[in-house]
Amino acid sequence: MKSPIKHRENDRMGMFYMEGEKGIIAELTYTKSTNAVITIDHTEVKRQYEGQGKATKLVAEAVKFAREKDLKIEPLCPFAEVMFDRYAEYSDVRA
């Protein structure tokens, strides 16, 4: 079953997430700074959904969002940092 990625944010922080039958199954959270940079501070996937590429999809969605909004991303979360190191095509949005 494909879980659509949802997004919510306020003026200080936001999150991209996927929901299953019992709530959120994967999430990526970020904080906003005043200089058009968002900091990915956390990614988490519920244990039974690990290994399905969900966190990778969330990082890709955050990159897409940053490009659309002309933002840069600081990948503070270790997983996000690995993704930014692995995918050179993300370098245009790396802070």
Side-chain angles (χ1 to χ4, degrees):
M1 184 176 96
K2 185 176 183 298
S3 303
I5 296 175
K6 298 179 180 179
H7 180 227
R8 65 179 180 227
E9 66 175 349
N10 60 33
D11 57 352
R12 294 182 320 279
M13 57 183 38
M15 71 184 290
F16 292 94
Y17 61 100
M18 296 177 192
E19 291 180 310
E21 292 176 10
K22 296 180 180 173
I24 292 175
I25 60 171
E27 67 181 23
L28 174 155
T29 61
Y30 62 86
T31 57
K32 297 176 177 180
S33 65
T34 54
N35 55 351
V37 174
I38 61 174
T39 300
I40 297 175
D41 52 18
H42 178 71
T43 53
E44 183 177 354
V45 177
K46 293 271 193 305
R47 181 153 293 144
Q48 65 266 39
Y49 297 99
E50 288 178 352
Q52 299 176 17
K54 293 188 183 312
T56 301
K57 289 184 178 104
L58 292 174
V59 172
E61 190 69 17
V63 168
K64 180 180 160 200
F65 172 77
R67 286 180 179 141
E68 289 170 356
K69 301 290 186 184
D70 200 24
L71 301 169
K72 296 288 186 187
I73 295 176
E74 176 64 44
L76 182 65
C77 157
F79 179 81
E81 186 175 17
V82 167
M83 292 295 99
F84 272 76
D85 290 344
R86 183 176 296 166
Y87 296 107
E89 62 267 30
Y90 292 174
S91 63
D92 64 310
V93 296
R94 191 170 193 163

